[in-house]
């Protein structure tokens, strides 16, 4: 929840950049390093919280003119046909490697 609040307090451009930092394993971004120290289930819960924040307007959403592309649409369609446990496993495997390793010692 604290990590979500840190993202929520940022401007929309900073929110987007933070999510991009997570995806590219940016070790210079403190939120990316904090995220990297979370468990797989907590990482999944964090992205779920971001998705809920997007639907509420607290977190920057996808632009209305965003082109997801054919392969993205096919992946989404395939995911929607999976049973719940398979969906969770797929999503957990997607979010687990994101973020950066925390710095050694007391620094995050």
């Amino acid at each position: 929840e604290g990590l979500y609040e840190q993202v929520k307090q940022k401007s929309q451009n900073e929110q987007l950049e933070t999510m991009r930092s997570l995806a590219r394993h940016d070790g210079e971004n403190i939120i990316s390093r904090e995220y990297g120290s979370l468990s797989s289930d907590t990482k999944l819960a964090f992205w779920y919280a971001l998705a809920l924040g997007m639907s509420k307007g607290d977190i920057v959403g996808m632009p209305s003119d965003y082109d997801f592309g054919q392969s993205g649409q096919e992946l989404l369609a395939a995911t929607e046909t999976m049973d719940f446990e398979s969906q969770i496993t797929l999503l957990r495997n997607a979010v687990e490697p994101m973020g950066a390793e925390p710095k050694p010692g007391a620094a995050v």
Side-chain angles (χ1 to χ4, degrees):
E1 191 172 311
L3 203 55
Y4 172 82
E5 288 299 320
Q6 288 181 56
V7 175
K8 181 181 170 183
Q9 293 174 9
K10 294 181 174 293
S11 71
Q12 288 191 338
N13 286 339
E14 291 172 321
Q15 290 174 356
L16 183 58
E17 184 53 37
T18 297
M19 289 185 272
R20 288 176 175 159
S21 292
L22 292 171
R24 68 174 177 260
H25 316 286
D26 182 359
E28 298 304 312
N29 183 297
I30 190 165
I31 292 177
S32 182
R33 292 194 314 267
E34 290 173 353
Y35 175 93
S37 70
L38 302 175
S39 72
S40 296
D41 288 337
T42 305
K43 289 176 179 180
L44 186 58
F46 172 73
W47 282 103
Y48 179 70
L50 289 177
L52 292 176
M54 288 176 191
S55 67
K56 292 190 307 187
D58 293 337
I59 302 294
V60 63
M62 297 293 292
S64 59
D65 61 346
Y66 180 77
D67 180 17
F68 198 40
Q70 184 64 32
S71 60
Q73 292 175 14
E74 290 172 4
L75 177 61
L76 180 59
T79 303
E80 290 172 339
T81 65
M82 294 177 173
D83 63 74
F84 180 75
E85 289 297 321
S86 296
Q87 287 178 348
I88 293 298
T89 299
L90 175 74
L91 295 171
R92 186 182 298 119
N93 289 341
V95 303
E96 207 288 319
M98 291 185 188
E101 290 292 318
K103 289 186 176 182
V108 176

